[in-house]
């Protein structure tokens, strides 16, 4: 028995060790959930206001009645949205009211009366739990909904010539209405969650093209972890070459650790996230070679080149001073990133040639250096590089790297939701972006746009400039 327990423990330890670390983590805190409360309430009110109720007919003694054209005219919901540990989300409505309007047709002996009835459902209570999982495609999904709804009482006020006469049968009518309304609430919320909200979650990118060279895989690695204060999700966070999607970089980076709860949302990106992007761009052949002549390079770079190689140009032929220069830079291996508490860096190995271009004659090489290592902060502040050639590389290669960074990085958020007020923290092996959330439009509008086939072209979210 002891041997069996030891084997189980060992297998569990091996499984934990071999588990794929995430390249990207997202934490939604209770502050973020607080912002979602009002939006969720509006969405639920919209769904409940669309409830349709069947025509009701009945007979009690000499009374025969028909109720039709039931419409919900007003909802006053006192609601709460919070995390349900180990499950997902809890949406609760307590002691609220719903106002309805419907048409009555009543026959008593030979007397016939019809008119409108204004009714109010009071003591409305709804308890709904959304079960969150990772589906087979690696996408966050609501797998199930637990719903309980009940209405404490219902009152009706009659109008028309016999309104006061029929007040006493109000209990009969409202009892039936309360029963039917009770039965309609949970199906409406089930449809809202399992169909409409899941359609919204389908807008989150899982495996998608970034551009014509690379794609990114944002599939969930496991089910979300839900506590009383947060919802944490581990994403693969891996770029890949579109021409060879199976050739990817192995993730040996550290597992980012999220400890903060002050912001609405936290995004953690490991070195692997950046390295897989640099690796995929390299394998995809995107600008492995950079060719610049005097007309293309900046004035600062051209002046640096002419100053550095003045002596050699004069030794070769003073007339070369009038001719354009050329800089050839070829990246020889995938760049690699290093993230520490002091900042983030990128290392690039490349071959560099500096040439002068006499008109109508072969280019003349002024300098050639292979396997040059450039280390730079991703931040605007660069590590001082010694020597004129390294300074030249800093001017030419760094803008090339920063160019891809400025294009922005897609992050796994639904349509219509953005990061704002971002703050970046550097840790050993990963960065953490803390931010607040902003809805560009309401949940219902987002879902309606999804159903109509429209897409949101502003999905790309830029990391802060300092990242």
């Amino acid at each position: 028995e002891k041997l069996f327990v030891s084997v189980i423990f060992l297998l569990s330890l091996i499984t934990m060790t071999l588990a794929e670390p995430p390249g990207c983590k997202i934490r939604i805190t209770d502050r973020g959930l607080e912002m979602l409360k009002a939006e969720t309430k509006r969405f639920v009110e919209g769904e409940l206001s669309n409830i349709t109720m069947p025509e009701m007919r009945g007979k009690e003694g000499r009374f025969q009645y028909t109720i039709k054209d039931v419409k919900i005219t007003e909802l006053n919901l006192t609601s709460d949205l919070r995390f349900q540990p180990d499950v997902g989300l809890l949406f609760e409505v307590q002691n609220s009211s719903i106002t309805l309007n419907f048409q009555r047709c009543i026959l008593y002996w030979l007397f016939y009366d019809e008119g409108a009835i204004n009714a109010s459902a009071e003591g409305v209570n709804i308890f709904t739990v959304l079960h969150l999982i990772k589906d087979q495609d690696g996408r966050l999904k609501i797998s199930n909904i637990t719903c309980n709804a009940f209405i404490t009482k219902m009152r009706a006020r009659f109008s028309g010539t016999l309104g006061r006469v029929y007040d006493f049968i109000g209990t009969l009518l409202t009892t039936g209405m309360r029963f039917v309304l009770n039965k309609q609430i949970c199906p409406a919320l089930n449809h809202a969650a399992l169909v409409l909200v899941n359609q919204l979650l389908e807008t989150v990118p899982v495996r998608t093209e970034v551009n014509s060279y690379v794609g990114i895989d944002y599939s969930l690695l496991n089910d979300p972890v839900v506590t009383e204060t947060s919802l944490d999700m581990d994403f693969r966070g891996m770029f890949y070459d579109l021409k060879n999607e199976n050739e990817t970089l192995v993730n040996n980076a550290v597992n980012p650790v999220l400890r903060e709860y002050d912001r609405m949302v936290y995004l953690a990106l490991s070195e692997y996230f950046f390295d897989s992007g640099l690796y995929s761009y390299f394998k995809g052949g995107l600008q492995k070679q950079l060719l610049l002549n005097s007309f293309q390079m900046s004035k600062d770079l051209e002046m640096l080149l002419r100053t550095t190689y003045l002596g050699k140009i004069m030794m070769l032929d003073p007339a070369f001073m009038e001719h354009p220069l050329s800089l050839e830079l070829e990246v020889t291996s995938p760049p690699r990133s290093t993230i520490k508490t002091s900042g983030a860096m990128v290392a690039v190995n490349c071959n560099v040639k500096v040439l002068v271009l006499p008109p109508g004659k072969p280019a003349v090489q002024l300098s050639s250096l292979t396997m040059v290592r450039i280390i730079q902060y991703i931040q605007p502040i660069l590590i001082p590089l010694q020597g004129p050639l390294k300074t030249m590389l800093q001017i030419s290669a760094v803008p090339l790297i920063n160019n891809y960074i400025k294009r922005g990085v897609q992050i796994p958020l639904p349509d219509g939701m953005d990061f704002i007020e971002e703050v970046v923290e550097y840790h050993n092996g990963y960065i953490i972006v803390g931010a607040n959330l902003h809805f560009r439009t309401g949940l219902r509008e987002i879902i309606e746009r999804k159903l109509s086939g429209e897409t949101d072209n502003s999905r790309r979210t830029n990391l802060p400039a300092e990242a």
Side-chain angles (χ1 to χ4, degrees):
E1 184 178 348
K2 290 183 178 180
L3 177 62
F4 177 75
V5 173
S6 300
V7 170
I8 294 297
F9 175 77
L10 181 60
L11 290 175
S12 301
L13 187 61
I14 293 174
T15 301
M16 292 174 63
T17 304
L18 296 178
E20 178 182 357
C24 169
K25 277 189 172 184
I26 286 185
R27 164 172 290 173
I28 299 175
T29 67
D30 48 6
R31 280 199 61 199
L33 204 61
E34 186 71 29
M35 189 212 70
L36 295 173
K37 286 182 180 180
E39 194 61 44
T40 303
K41 177 184 175 182
R42 283 193 292 269
F43 177 67
V44 170
E45 286 176 342
E47 289 303 300
L48 294 182
S49 64
N50 290 330
I51 286 179
T52 58
M53 300 179 66
E55 181 178 293
M56 295 191 303
R57 297 174 180 271
K59 183 177 181 181
E60 184 71 20
R62 299 291 184 180
F63 285 97
Q64 299 181 42
Y65 63 89
T66 300
I67 295 176
K68 59 183 180 180
D69 299 332
V70 181
K71 296 179 181 179
I72 293 178
T73 57
E74 185 179 358
L75 295 105
N76 293 302
L77 302 184
T78 303
S79 63
D80 189 23
L81 179 68
R82 58 183 183 270
F83 294 115
Q84 184 77 359
D86 303 323
V87 178
L89 298 174
L90 168 65
F91 179 77
E92 189 174 17
V93 173
Q94 290 186 336
N95 197 28
S96 300
S97 64
I98 300 176
T99 302
L100 307 94
N101 179 272
F102 50 92
Q103 296 295 317
R104 73 175 189 275
C105 297
I106 298 177
L107 178 64
Y108 178 67
W109 288 92
L110 299 178
F111 296 98
Y112 177 79
D113 184 48
E114 62 180 10
I117 299 179
N118 292 316
S120 61
E122 300 174 1
V124 177
N125 295 274
I126 306 171
F127 184 87
T128 306
V129 177
L130 307 179
H131 301 251
L132 299 177
I133 64 165
K134 172 184 78 74
D135 70 7
Q136 59 183 7
D137 296 323
R139 181 178 281 110
L140 183 66
K141 181 180 180 180
I142 300 174
S143 64
N144 189 25
I145 177 171
T146 303
C147 179
N148 291 299
F150 62 93
I151 299 171
T152 304
K153 58 184 177 181
M154 197 162 188
R155 296 178 178 177
R157 186 177 73 253
F158 293 83
S159 62
T161 55
L162 300 179
R164 292 185 178 181
V165 176
Y166 294 128
D167 272 344
F168 74 94
I169 67 166
T171 301
L172 173 66
L173 297 181
T174 54
T175 298
M177 285 293 301
R178 181 163 62 94
F179 176 80
V180 174
L181 185 58
N182 258 331
K183 294 296 183 181
Q184 295 288 336
I185 291 176
C186 282
L189 296 183
N190 284 346
H191 178 265
L194 298 178
V195 178
L196 300 182
V197 176
N198 274 338
Q199 287 178 339
L200 174 63
L201 294 176
E202 287 176 2
T203 68
V204 177
V206 172
R207 193 172 176 90
T208 183
E209 292 184 5
V210 176
N211 50 39
S212 58
Y213 296 93
V214 303
I216 191 167
D217 186 333
Y218 271 128
S219 55
L220 278 169
L221 298 178
N222 40 55
D223 289 340
V225 177
V226 187
T227 67
E228 290 184 355
T229 55
S230 67
L231 182 148
D232 291 354
M233 294 171 285
D234 290 353
F235 298 91
R236 179 163 285 116
M238 177 193 72
F239 290 86
Y240 55 89
D241 177 12
L242 291 178
K243 296 177 182 177
N244 190 356
E245 297 188 11
N246 294 323
E247 185 180 0
T248 56
L249 194 66
V250 177
N251 188 352
N252 294 317
V254 299
N255 191 339
V257 178
L258 291 171
R259 295 187 175 93
E260 295 83 359
Y261 295 89
D262 294 335
R263 297 269 174 162
M264 293 182 181
V265 63
Y266 288 92
L267 170 70
L269 302 173
S270 75
E271 289 176 347
Y272 177 75
F273 178 86
F274 298 101
D275 286 344
S276 67
L278 295 168
Y279 178 86
S280 299
Y281 275 117
F282 178 83
K283 290 296 183 180
L286 180 60
Q287 288 196 359
K288 286 185 184 178
Q289 291 185 329
L290 176 65
L291 305 177
L292 295 175
N293 57 40
S294 295
F295 303 105
Q296 297 170 315
M297 65 181 67
S298 67
K299 294 298 181 182
D300 290 341
L301 178 56
E302 182 183 6
M303 180 62 68
L304 178 63
L305 290 175
R306 291 193 182 277
T307 304
T308 303
Y309 296 103
L310 175 63
K312 189 162 187 177
I313 292 174
M314 295 301 293
M315 289 177 60
L316 291 172
D317 187 345
F320 284 174
M321 289 298 297
E322 304 299 324
H323 300 327
L325 300 179
S326 174
L327 173 67
E328 296 183 3
L329 184 148
E330 180 182 9
V331 179
T332 59
S333 63
R336 297 300 295 261
S337 67
T338 301
I339 303 175
K340 296 183 179 180
T341 54
S342 56
M345 299 171 283
V346 172
V348 183
N349 293 322
C350 56
N351 295 331
V352 180
K353 291 181 182 180
V354 181
L355 307 101
V356 62
L357 306 175
K361 296 181 180 180
V364 179
Q365 182 172 300
L366 299 178
S367 176
S368 176
L369 186 63
T370 60
M371 301 301 290
V372 175
R373 185 173 177 83
I374 307 168
I375 302 180
Q376 56 119 172
Y377 279 105
I378 296 178
Q379 295 174 304
I381 302 174
L382 304 177
I383 292 180
L385 299 175
Q386 297 178 354
L389 185 57
K390 290 187 177 180
T391 305
M392 173 195 67
L393 294 175
Q394 181 175 328
I395 295 175
S396 60
V398 167
L400 175 65
I401 296 171
N402 284 338
N403 183 44
Y404 299 122
I405 297 172
K406 290 177 182 177
R407 293 179 184 180
V409 179
Q410 279 189 311
I411 57 178
L413 288 177
D415 278 344
M417 189 180 293
D418 289 324
F419 276 6
I420 60 172
E421 302 169 351
E422 303 97 332
V423 175
V424 180
E425 294 180 359
Y426 292 88
H427 300 263
N428 290 326
Y430 58 95
I431 67 171
I432 295 178
V433 182
N436 291 325
L437 293 173
H438 169 69
F439 274 102
R440 291 193 301 274
T441 185
L443 282 176
R444 173 163 295 281
E445 290 78 9
I446 296 172
I447 292 172
E448 288 176 350
R449 187 170 62 239
K450 168 71 176 176
L451 292 175
S452 66
E454 295 181 29
T455 57
D456 188 344
N457 294 322
S458 57
R459 294 284 305 285
R460 186 178 297 272
T461 301
N462 289 315
L463 292 178
E466 63 179 303

